[in-house]
Amino acid sequence: MTRNLNYEILELQTRVAFPRHWSSEEHELHIEKLRLLNFQKRLLIDCEQK
């Protein structure tokens, strides 16, 4: 599960790093999805540590 999240996060980080390849709406969606995936990853890590 974490591996898939890491892959998705890496892909979105790349998309966010090169915003000129996306419309402004797509760029905002990528930023929001990246924020949510990072939050999910932190939750998973916290659950695994308990």
Side-chain angles (χ1 to χ4, degrees):
M1 180 83 163
T2 306
R3 184 175 294 198
N4 289 341
L5 274 176
N6 286 336
Y7 177 76
E8 287 185 67
I9 288 170
L10 181 60
E11 183 179 335
L12 281 169
Q13 285 173 334
T14 302
R15 291 180 180 200
V16 168
F18 299 99
R20 68 181 174 272
H21 297 291
W22 312 100
S23 70
S24 60
E25 293 85 13
E26 288 173 313
H27 183 65
E28 290 299 321
L29 287 173
H30 293 152
I31 290 171
E32 184 59 29
K33 187 169 182 181
L34 181 58
R35 187 180 358 256
L36 290 173
L37 289 175
N38 279 317
F39 179 72
Q40 272 186 316
K41 183 179 174 181
R42 282 193 302 273
L43 287 177
L44 277 174
I45 291 170
D46 287 347
C47 287
E48 289 173 356
Q49 290 178 352
K50 291 182 180 181

